[in-house]
Amino acid sequence: MDDRTGQRTVAETAPRRPENRYGNRPTMKDVAARAGVGLKTVSRVVNGEPGVTPDTERRVQEAIEALGFRRNDSARVLRKGRTASIGLVLEDLADPFYGPLSRAVEEVARAHGALLINGSSAEDPDREQELVLALCARRVDGLVVIPAGDDHRYLEPEIAAGVATVFVDRPAGKIDADVVLSDSFGGARDGVAHLIAHGHRRIGFIGDQPRIHTAIERLRGYRAAMEDAGIELSESWVSLGATGPERVQAAATAMITGPEPVTAIFAGNNRVTVTVVRVLADHERPVALVGFDDIELADLLGITVVAQDAAALGRTAAERLFRHLDGAEEAPARIELRTALIPRGSGEIPPA
Amino acid sequence: MDDRTGQRTVAETAPRRPENRYGNRPTMKDVAARAGVGLKTVSRVVNGEPGVTPDTERRVQEAIEALGFRRNDSARVLRKGRTASIGLVLEDLADPFYGPLSRAVEEVARAHGALLINGSSAEDPDREQELVLALCARRVDGLVVIPAGDDHRYLEPEIAAGVATVFVDRPAGKIDADVVLSDSFGGARDGVAHLIAHGHRRIGFIGDQPRIHTAIERLRGYRAAMEDAGIELSESWVSLGATGPERVQAAATAMITGPEPVTAIFAGNNRVTVTVVRVLADHERPVALVGFDDIELADLLGITVVAQDAAALGRTAAERLFRHLDGAEEAPARIELRTALIPRGSGEIPPA
DNA sequence: CTGAAAGCGCTAACAC
DNA sequence: GTGTTAGCGCTTTCAG
């Protein structure tokens, strides 16, 4: 059983206690026994605490090495009460808007020594709640939530119990909490005003489902721009609903071929824009287009967009989260990030 | 202190034990005391175990509600030895290739009641190892890894200790482990053969850094196609390296303007393709292009690609992982997914 | 500088 | 049906 032989195959020299449920892993106790020291000394070495002789430390390190010991953070968490992990609940990680956002949150978490648990709500309020509560049961230190639902009172006990929470992209429903979002209203208004400045008056708006805050805000921006220009709008120019290709395609087709055909379309988000671009590509009469959200390759396709910075959204939210975790006692705030209109051609097409 | 008043504001009725580090949260013990039952009975109710009278159950549920109790999974994990979470280490969640992959892994995890912890290695082997070991310390049940490094012996003790591990996109280095990947060699060969079939003989290859397995495989495919066609290739047609825009732009420009200018380019991945498309857009002489990886809007730009299914990669890997966790004793395998050539125009341009 | 004992909140094993 | 006890692997406290 003696293995001072210095073999490289660490795994084989691990102790074989039969009933250990962690796949038979060595514990600090095992390390202590092997190094001939007390449990607490091992703890000190593992955590880099002072007060250990270099010689003792070496012996402990050797034992750790030989046994292939790795501290069990579950036990640590139980004792310390902090998991050094945060949760991020978003709509769909497969959406190109959320990848950079998640990555930005991860970077901030990493800088604070925390891991990130991701979850996709699929825009389903029940699933959002289920995920959030699962994360709370894991005792994540904090939560970044892109809300799917519009009632977050279920989070009140958690927040009261100390789970720092920041909402992103859309405000929380029925509770007072931090939120970081883009200026959807202003961005949409600017985009539509841009189309108006290029001579359009019959402008369509295709947006997401009305229960989604950003959809409503962008629609408000559209209406404001139209009103500012003194344009009376036809309700046949406005379409809200699911952003799947079928619905959007139908809506866009109806708008450009209907009785009062639009000469321009404002697309409410990246998914809408992509589908509208496809529809317009198959259409002979040129129709102008401005889309909310930037898209990869939009420059090559000459798509004018109102860009929001997904990474900045995530970064700002995460930084605020960690400021709370570090003890800052700031009142819930609403942080709004500016959008940027990027003209690339499609928004500058004159009315037919 | 009695609060049978049935107030809705759950948070306020929670007990105020002063020194609890979980932000003062009620435990099962508190619930038991309040419901006037034993600890184990609460545990039974919380976990839906049988053997509790409906009446007792109701009283316990009420106490849970009133206190805002939520089971502490950290303690549960410590006891049970399973965290019901898996880790996914990839290169960069902001890359559109990985979003869908991560989402697919998440869906499988969800179906098995597990959460997903994501981490980005930024293609840095040290960071990959750091992340993987942090996940192991958290005692994730399993690991899906898109390797950045080429030596994974550091994982041997973990795997031996029972951490199920599946590699994706690239094989593990120096250890024998499951891997799920796309047929990079075959895909690249098909893509280049497609260009050759359209009359090209001077074909460039721009790929990722040579330490990345897929880069090498795709280059091999390129060489194989060229050799099959009896084309002797000039080394000035081949360029491997970082896939940042600067390097790729320089490489592409050199190839199309050099002494032996290519009439077609095969792009080794999505990032390369995007940059090459931009370069070719500014170039007067038409140059054919086939890219590895599909890209959003590639259909509108008419980019011919060799598509791999990122979601299928993730799903397959995760399913294999959970099969292991469910006790299947399968030997490490290599699963290769087919790629699909999608002609859209850019690959069918004849040589100038 | 070092170690023994207590206990984090839960579940497993066994009483009653 | 229900409760009691022990203990998961670690950190905290406090004594040597």
Side-chain angles (χ1 to χ4, degrees), chain B residues 20 37 50 55 92 106 129 159 163 186 189 199 207 210 214 255 271 274 278-280 289 306 309 320 335 341:
Chain B
N20 186 321
V37 300
D55 183 59
D92 177 7
E106 184 198 341
Q129 178 169 350
I159 292 173
V163 182
R189 193 190 46 197
T214 50
M255 280 181 195
R271 291 179 299 265
V274 167
R278 294 207 169 97
V279 170
L280 296 186
L289 169 68
V306 175
D309 187 340
R320 195 161 173 89
I335 302 175
L341 180 73

Side-chain angles (χ1 to χ4, degrees), chain A residues 64-80:
Chain A
I64 287 174
E65 205 88 345
L67 297 177
F69 168 80
R70 184 110 41 221
R71 182 181 65 197
N72 184 335
D73 277 351
S74 299
R76 172 169 228 250
V77 157
L78 180 60
R79 202 57 245 250
K80 300 202 73 139

Side-chain angles (χ1 to χ4, degrees), chain A residues 70 106 120 158 278 299, chain B residues 70 106 120 158 278 299:
Chain A
R70 184 110 41 221
E106 183 198 342
S120 299
E158 312 300 330
R278 294 207 168 96
D299 55 333
Chain B
R70 185 108 42 220
E106 184 198 341
S120 300
E158 311 300 331
R278 294 207 169 97
D299 55 332

